[in-house]
């Protein structure tokens, strides 16, 4: 239970800058998820917090104290590794107890802490087994248990669920959320899986190229991404992003999608104040914000069906708009014709549009 | 279903063949040691008609001549005095090989760990040097090594031989163990750092226990290498008191008039320690290798 502060953290490997100038304040008991594509520096940042990587520049504080030079074991944190990193030659109980034993704690105290952690994670009956006798999910629990027994100020998770199958991952997500409620510790969680980020985080920090692109509550990032990177990264299926040019229809602000012959959307009152005529833009719309219908309505955009993926309760349709380059993805619960080339009409509410400058920043 | 029946058969045949090659000579030596020369060399007689005789063993351990050589006209010279040195040389060899094994593990395991897990200037060069050093022919090293040992005053003592045998096996120990240590995931040692282990504790408490099967195998290898080494053992051992078994056996075999039964007895006695070691350690090594190869 401690806040973590990062001011201007940097890390380079030779000429490659893995982390460039990251400043972030993580509050006490906050669950923060660092998310981004591979190579974005999220794991390096976590390892710098853990003390497994040296900090080239900047200051790291835990509970208000500078810890740049403090030994990893003295920073008051515990880490859950992607591969779990359980000691293969020790039983589960020994794995849990090892860190406490190394810090010179008495046997009785260790025993009671191990029992307590085993109780929290319901792994009491596994204590005598070796890691290789456990299933993936059980190993995951032991790895978390090894962190819990230390009663750390801060928990660090490095893609802890990436080795589990989909079912177990969903189950462990719920478990982790429960643990955070129960333990009331600060948790910093690294993942490349945006579903984990959206469901677990109180605050998501999106990293790209060693920098923070955006941070905030999950829905805030989902609803108001500051740039096309964040817009494209969060949300499944991905947000549709197409080139557009600002124009007017009957004096109303409007957007022309794609090339000169592309369709127009009137945006009227939803137009950003900074929009200028003839400005080159990137327009985004989430797949679930597009209405797809088989019949033409007022302002609907004509398109042709390319492919439909049926997921059961809903379907994902990939449609092509003439003059617009990438195909548009539409998520719909309505019945959809499946034949390729079927003409369909798309309706988009101007309020659901995300308008970005051509350099990717939100307008 | 036919393959199910055929496969055990071919497996059996192949193992029988391997056993005949590996175990055959051992059994022949055993047979030769329990029958006198006249039985061994005569096509008409066999152990079934003459029975088992332990006279040769008795001679080697007590010095009492076999009855067949006490009779008039027997060639006493065929009973080589060298055979009497076998028990003592066995003890010498056991001490030398055990010491070489222990030194190999004590020196080789930390060195291998260091090569596997740390970067330091000259790492590639020194590793290459260690790995390539066994390529130097033994014969080229005999004189320099002899001179060094002379300087150290270790000629005629088991310690000179121990040092040389340790040095001979060490490259293999370092190579095999460093490959093993390199395969251990880095996260394991990072977890150990967070569990407050320093470099030494990480080695002793994490790396070493995991490496036990490999250490057992390399230790056994060092033991066998030392046990069978002849050239340096011959040059560096002085009088009978420090001669290892390889030197004594060679002396015994060089004698063209030697009693075959006596020679076989010496051979079989010399094999026994290796057999014991293999039975004790091998199972453990194989188990370790098998369980280690299945990803945990």
């Amino acid at each position: 239970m401690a806040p973590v502060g990062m001011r201007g953290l940097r890390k380079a490997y030779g000429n490659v800058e893995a982390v460039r100038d990251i400043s972030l304040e993580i509050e006490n008991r906050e669950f923060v998820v660092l998310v981004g594509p591979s190579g974005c520096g999220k794991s390096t940042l976590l390892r710098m917090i853990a003390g497994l990587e040296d900090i080239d520049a900047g200051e790291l504080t835990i509970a208000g104290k500078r810890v740049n030079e403090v030994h990893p074991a003295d920073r008051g944190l515990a880490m859950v590794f992607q591969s779990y990193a359980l000691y293969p030659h020790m039983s589960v109980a020994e794995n849990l107890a090892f860190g406490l034993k190394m810090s010179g704690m008495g046997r009785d105290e260790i025993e009671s802490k191990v029992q307590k952690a085993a109780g929290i994670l319901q792994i009491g009956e596994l204590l005598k087994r070796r890691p290789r006798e456990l299933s993936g999910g059980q190993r995951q629990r032991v790895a978390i248990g090894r962190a819990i027994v230390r009663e750390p100020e801060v928990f660090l998770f490095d893609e802890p669920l990436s080795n589990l199958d989909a079912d177990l991952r969903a189950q462990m997500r719920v478990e982790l959320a429960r643990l955070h409620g129960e333990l009331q510790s600060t948790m910093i969680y690294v993942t490349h899986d945006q579903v984990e980020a959206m469901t677990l985080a109180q605050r998501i920090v999106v990293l790209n190229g060693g920098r923070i692109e955006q941070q905030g509550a999950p829905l805030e990032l989902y609803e108001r991404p500051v740039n096309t990177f964040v817009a494209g990264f969060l949300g499944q299926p991905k947000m549709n992003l197409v080139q557009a040019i600002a124009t007017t229809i009957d004096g109303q602000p409007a957007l022309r999608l794609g090339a000169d012959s592309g369709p127009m959307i009137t945006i009227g009152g939803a137009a950003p104040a900074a929009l200028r005529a003839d400005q080159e833009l990137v327009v985004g719309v989430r797949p679930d914000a597009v209405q797809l219908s088989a019949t033409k309505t007022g302002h609907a955009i004509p398109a042709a069906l390319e492919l439909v993926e049926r997921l059961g309760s809903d379907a994902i349709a990939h449609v092509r708009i003439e003059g617009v380059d990438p195909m548009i993805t539409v998520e719909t619960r309505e019945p959809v014709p499946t034949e390729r080339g079927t003409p369909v009409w798309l309706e988009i509410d101007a309020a659901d549009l995300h308008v970005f400058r051509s350099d990717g920043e939100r307008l | 279903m036919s393959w199910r029946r055929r496969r055990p058969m071919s497996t059996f045949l192949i193992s029988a063949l391997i056993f005949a090659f590996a175990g055959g000579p051992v059994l022949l030596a055993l047979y030769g040691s329990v029958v006198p020369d006249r039985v061994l060399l005569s096509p008409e007689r066999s152990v079934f008609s003459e029975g088992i005789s332990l006279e040769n063993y008795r001679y080697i351990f007590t010095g009492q001549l076999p009855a067949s050589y006490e009779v008039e006209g027997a060639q006493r010279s065929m009973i080589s005095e060298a055979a009497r040195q076998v028990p003592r040389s066995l003890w010498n060899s056991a001490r030398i090989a055990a010491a070489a094994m222990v030194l190999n593990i004590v020196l080789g395991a930390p060195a291998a760990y260091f090569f596997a897990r740390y970067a330091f200037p000259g790492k590639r060069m020194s590793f290459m040097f260690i790995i390539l050093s066994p390529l130097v022919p033994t014969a080229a090293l005999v004189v320099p090594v002899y001179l060094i040992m002379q300087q150290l005053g270790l000629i005629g003592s088991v310690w000179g031989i121990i040092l040389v045998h340790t040095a001979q096996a060490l490259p293999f120990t370092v190579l095999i163990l460093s490959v093993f240590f390199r395969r251990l995931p880095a996260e394991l040692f990072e977890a150990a750092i967070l569990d407050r282990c320093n470099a030494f504790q990480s080695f002793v408490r994490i790396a070493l226990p995991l490496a036990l099967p490999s250490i057992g195998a390399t230790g056994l290898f060092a033991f066998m290498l030392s046990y069978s080494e002849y050239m340096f053992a011959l040059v560096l051992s002085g009088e009978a008191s420090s001669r290892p078994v390889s030197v004594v056996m060679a002396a015994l075999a060089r004698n063209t008039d030697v009693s075959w039964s006596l020679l076989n007895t010496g051979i079989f006695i010399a094999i026994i320690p290796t057999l014991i070691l293999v039975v004790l350690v091998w199972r453990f090594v194989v188990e370790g290798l098998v369980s280690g190869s299945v990803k945990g």
Side-chain angles (χ1 to χ4, degrees), chain B residues 28-33 40 57 259-269:
Chain B
L28 281 178
L30 177 63
Y31 175 74
S33 71
L40 195 60
Y57 289 92
S259 152
W260 283 96
S261 300
L262 194 59
L263 181 58
N264 277 317
T265 310
I267 291 172
F268 191 72
I269 292 172

Side-chain angles (χ1 to χ4, degrees), chain A residues 33-210:
Chain A
V33 174
L34 307 177
V35 69
S38 22
C40 71
K42 57 189 190 298
S43 277
T44 307
L45 184 60
L46 194 76
R47 294 167 56 83
M48 287 161 78
I49 298 170
L52 298 172
E53 300 283 349
D54 288 335
I55 296 168
D56 287 353
E59 189 177 58
L60 175 69
T61 61
I62 295 175
K65 282 196 286 279
R66 178 186 163 98
V67 294
N68 287 38
E69 293 80 18
V70 174
H71 187 272
D74 296 322
R75 294 187 182 189
L77 39 80
M79 185 155 170
V80 177
F81 291 90
Q82 184 173 9
S83 68
Y84 316 142
L86 300 175
Y87 307 121
H89 57 299
M90 298 184 195
S91 70
V92 168
E94 287 166 332
N95 262 286
L96 296 183
F98 187 66
L100 305 178
K101 202 166 106 188
M102 293 307 291
S103 9
M105 192 181 281
R107 187 172 293 185
D108 294 342
E109 201 178 346
I110 293 178
E111 174 67 21
S112 78
K113 289 196 179 203
V114 167
Q115 288 299 340
K116 191 173 148 206
I120 292 174
L121 288 163
Q122 293 142 22
I123 51 173
E125 71 277 22
L126 304 178
L127 285 176
K128 288 201 170 63
R129 295 209 206 154
R130 293 282 169 91
R132 68 164 172 271
E133 297 163 332
L134 305 178
S135 69
Q138 289 170 331
R139 281 180 211 175
Q140 175 65 72
R141 280 166 192 274
V142 176
I144 295 171
R146 189 167 65 175
I148 289 177
V149 286
R150 301 164 57 101
E151 295 172 2
E153 306 277 347
V154 181
F155 279 92
L156 307 177
F157 294 93
D158 189 7
E159 310 217 12
L161 306 186
S162 60
N163 287 337
L164 300 178
D165 60 46
D167 268 358
L168 215 48
R169 207 179 305 165
Q171 193 184 323
M172 286 307 292
R173 274 207 307 268
V174 176
E175 189 93 339
L176 282 171
R178 177 181 74 87
L179 270 178
H180 179 242
E182 202 165 313
L183 300 170
Q184 292 287 309
S185 293
T186 311
M187 293 190 172
I188 307 176
Y189 188 105
V190 160
T191 183
H192 63 269
D193 179 3
Q194 50 100 16
V195 178
E196 276 170 37
M198 292 294 290
T199 52
L200 283 171
Q202 290 171 330
R203 176 154 51 127
I204 293 180
V205 178
V206 181
L207 295 172
N208 185 30

Side-chain angles (χ1 to χ4, degrees), chain A residues 28-39:
Chain A
N28 197 2
R29 301 179 184 182
E30 200 179 9
F31 198 131
V32 172
V33 174
L34 307 177
V35 69
S38 22

Side-chain angles (χ1 to χ4, degrees), chain A residues 207-225:
Chain A
L207 295 172
N208 185 30
R211 288 202 180 85
I212 296 176
E213 294 280 356
Q214 188 178 6
Q215 51 172 307
L219 281 181
E220 186 184 321
L221 264 63
Y222 184 79
E223 282 161 6
R224 268 192 78 80

